[in-house]
Amino acid sequence: MKHRKVILSLRVADALIKQGFQVIEVRPSTKVRGNAAFIFELTPEFSKALGNIRQKL
């Protein structure tokens, strides 16, 4: 089983996509009705990029 990370922020998901990370799946958010949940494969590179994006917000 692959490890996955769910991103609820469109802004963060967009930044990750622009860095070359591919969305595995898009689902309706179970936390915020009407929003989307973006699912990415969780890798060390992904975790590092996510940390960098969060620092800039």
Side-chain angles (χ1 to χ4, degrees):
M1 181 178 177
K2 293 183 180 179
H3 296 294
R4 296 177 175 198
K5 177 70 175 171
V6 177
I7 302 295
L8 299 177
S9 168
L10 177 60
R11 189 170 159 189
V12 173
D14 183 54
L16 289 164
I17 292 166
K18 286 179 179 175
Q19 290 186 32
F21 296 98
Q22 293 196 347
V23 176
I24 296 172
E25 189 176 354
V26 178
R27 294 182 145 185
S29 173
T30 57
K31 291 189 177 195
V32 181
R33 191 171 10 152
N35 283 8
F38 302 89
I39 303 170
F40 292 86
E41 183 177 351
L42 184 58
T43 64
E45 296 83 13
F46 177 87
S47 295
K48 183 176 180 181
L50 182 58
N52 290 336
I53 291 167
R54 286 183 173 164
Q55 284 180 353
K56 293 177 184 177
L57 293 180

